[in-house]
Amino acid sequence: MKKIAAVLMVTAILSSALTGCAGAGKQTEVTVAAAKEGKDLSAMVWQGTVEALSSVDIIPVASGKVTQILAKEGDHVEAGAPLFQIDNQDASLQLEQAKAGRQAAQASYDSALKANQLNTVVKPAQISFNTASDNFNRIKVLYASGDISQADYEAAKAQMDVAQVQLQAAQNSQTTSCEVTKAQLESAMAALNIAQKKYDDCMVASPIKGLVTKISVEAGQTVSPQIKAATVIDDSGKKVEIKVADMDIDQINIGTEVEVNLQTLGENLKGSVSDISAVSDSSTGMFLVTVSLGEESTNNAIGLMADIRLVGNKGGNSVYIPAKSVQSDDSGVYVYRVSESSVVKAPVTLGKKKNAYIEVTKGLSTGDLVVLQSSKPLSDGEKISILTVKQQG
């Protein structure tokens, strides 16, 4: 009925405006829109399911037979607390072997490092080279004076050259020995770390502090990385995820307070918006909004449907107009409202913005026509000619 009345009103105004045109000078041409009724967000209700802040499915890394269950459903555990044990006999033997290998590699490296520090390999070769070099220098002087033969000279030089090669080889060997034993030690340490991890993986622990909600394995059962063995939730808080339309999302911010009604339990809780997705879902145009519940929420609430309302629910409808129809001057905020074939400068009180529209809490009623655009600046009481009545979405 309201829509029919608005159409009749627009028709009457158009007729009156056209009649006025026939008998007067050219009137100001305007485009108008009707104030529409719409639910304010404080009257809207979103629904979602109460969830834990996070939920972790425990999947073992190791394969083997479960030897002991160390936690039960309903237990509160710390991060790192053991949940169940997998047979670690083979892993234990491999760990001991890796420890022995690491010790042997460490001993070899320490020995090579000490030999390098004491110069035990190079020192004898250095002495031999120094002796051969001194001998050659003495022979060279005697050869220059003709006291010895060329054969004696060449033999002394060859002896010095051999000693020099042996010295270089000793130096290279000593350096290589340190490098090789160091690499062997690093390899042994890596093997030990791998063996240690395999051993540790046989003890399956909770990665977070929280509540054990599911243990899906039994002692004697064989498990593998393909089996979900347990579930632990972070029960330090609760959350509800809701989907909000793009035309409403700009009225919700991080920290916005909400009321949470759990009909099943007959409880009302407080909450606040803790996260808003940066972009909307491409298929639905909806934004994902996360509401964190207050500390009074209990684990009994998890899995229940929750009604979410913004704090300050007015439980009524509001009047909305296009935001660009609003003007302001020294007297305040106003719109030009159509009255018969004229416009009236109408002061308005504004509420929340809703994308291209804005709420009018005082000054207009549903169906009132307001000026969106005009062919020239308007004044109070000015005669107008309506070109278009814009339909609002």
Side-chain angles (χ1 to χ4, degrees), residues 208-223:
I208 63 171
K209 178 181 179 180
L211 176 71
V212 179
T213 59
K214 187 71 175 177
I215 297 289
S216 305
V217 296
E218 298 177 351
Q221 179 180 343
T222 299
V223 297

Side-chain angles (χ1 to χ4, degrees), residues 185-208:
L185 175 59
E186 291 173 349
S187 177
M189 291 174 66
L192 175 59
N193 290 337
I194 292 172
Q196 184 70 58
K197 185 178 185 304
K198 287 183 177 180
Y199 178 81
D200 293 341
D201 287 342
C202 292
M203 177 66 75
V204 180
S206 173
I208 63 171

Side-chain angles (χ1 to χ4, degrees), residues 320-343:
Y320 285 92
I321 59 174
K324 67 178 183 178
S325 65
V326 178
Q327 302 183 48
S328 64
D329 57 19
D330 293 339
S331 65
V333 179
Y334 65 92
V335 297
Y336 281 108
R337 177 173 55 82
V338 176
S339 177
E340 296 183 353
S341 59
S342 303
V343 291

